[in-house]
Amino acid sequence: MALTKICKAFHELTPNELYDMLRLRSEVFVVEQTCVFLDMDDKDQLCHHVLFYNEEKVLIATSRLVPAGVSYPDMMSIGRIVTSQLVRGTGVGKELVEMSIEECYRLFGKGPIRIGAQLYARKFYERFGFEQSSEVYDEDGIDHIKMVKQV
């Protein structure tokens, strides 16, 4: 599958890219996971965003790269990691996480990366070197854990 992979600061996103990103996040986090929460949390403007488009110019995956001091005082993080139902099980999620890690290091320097992962995805993130660093906690009705990838 030929993908167009983009990493941009918020202010560099086109209106269509921003719309695509917010739509995919809403489709998965709000509709598919039946989770009512405020996705737009005033952090996006401070972040870089990874966008994967397929050949038909449909956004199929996205994540946001968060500098230290925005979500966590002492660590950069990756958040809003999402893939479309269209590509689950194809390896696109793996490519998204790998690129997100590489871009974090490029943008913010080598250092630990923290994520807040849905509990069911723990083994997926462990494949990239993330280790559980908290007890299970509830976030918007879904079990989560904090995970950290050391350098």
Side-chain angles (χ1 to χ4, degrees):
M1 172 184 317
L3 299 175
T4 301
K5 300 175 181 180
I6 300 165
C7 181
K8 291 184 175 180
F10 181 84
H11 70 275
E12 297 172 324
L13 295 171
T14 68
N16 284 337
E17 289 168 341
L18 176 60
Y19 180 88
D20 292 344
M21 178 182 76
L22 294 174
R23 179 183 172 113
L24 180 57
R25 287 172 17 181
S26 182
E27 284 174 0
V28 174
F29 295 137
V30 177
V31 177
E32 181 184 327
Q33 296 181 352
T34 59
C35 180
V36 178
F37 80 110
L38 185 59
D39 179 31
M40 287 156 280
D41 57 3
D42 292 320
K43 294 180 184 177
D44 284 314
Q45 303 92 315
L46 306 171
C47 300
H48 280 72
H49 301 272
V50 175
L51 308 168
F52 283 13
Y53 284 91
N54 67 11
E55 300 91 347
E56 291 81 34
K57 297 183 174 37
V58 174
L59 183 69
I60 56 168
T62 186
S63 68
R64 75 176 176 191
L65 313 180
V66 187
V70 175
S71 289
Y72 305 104
D74 57 341
M75 282 187 217
M76 65 182 124
S77 64
I78 303 170
R80 301 295 198 262
I81 300 168
V82 62
T83 57
S84 167
Q85 284 183 324
L86 300 171
V87 296
R88 300 226 185 101
T90 66
V92 168
K94 179 181 178 291
E95 287 183 57
L96 176 66
V97 173
E98 288 172 344
M99 180 172 172
S100 298
I101 292 167
E102 290 170 14
E103 290 296 308
C104 273
Y105 291 156
R106 181 182 70 81
L107 293 164
F108 311 131
K110 286 270 189 176
I113 301 172
R114 177 169 283 165
I115 60 173
Q118 293 183 1
L119 182 60
Y120 82 89
R122 178 180 58 209
K123 290 201 182 313
F124 173 75
Y125 292 115
E126 285 174 344
R127 295 183 351 198
F128 304 97
F130 286 93
E131 297 178 351
Q132 185 171 341
S133 63
S134 77
E135 296 298 317
V136 176
Y137 63 94
D138 179 276
E139 185 172 310
D140 302 313
I142 298 173
D143 285 342
H144 281 71
I145 54 173
K146 298 272 190 256
M147 300 185 81
V148 175
K149 175 179 176 56
Q150 298 295 340
V151 180

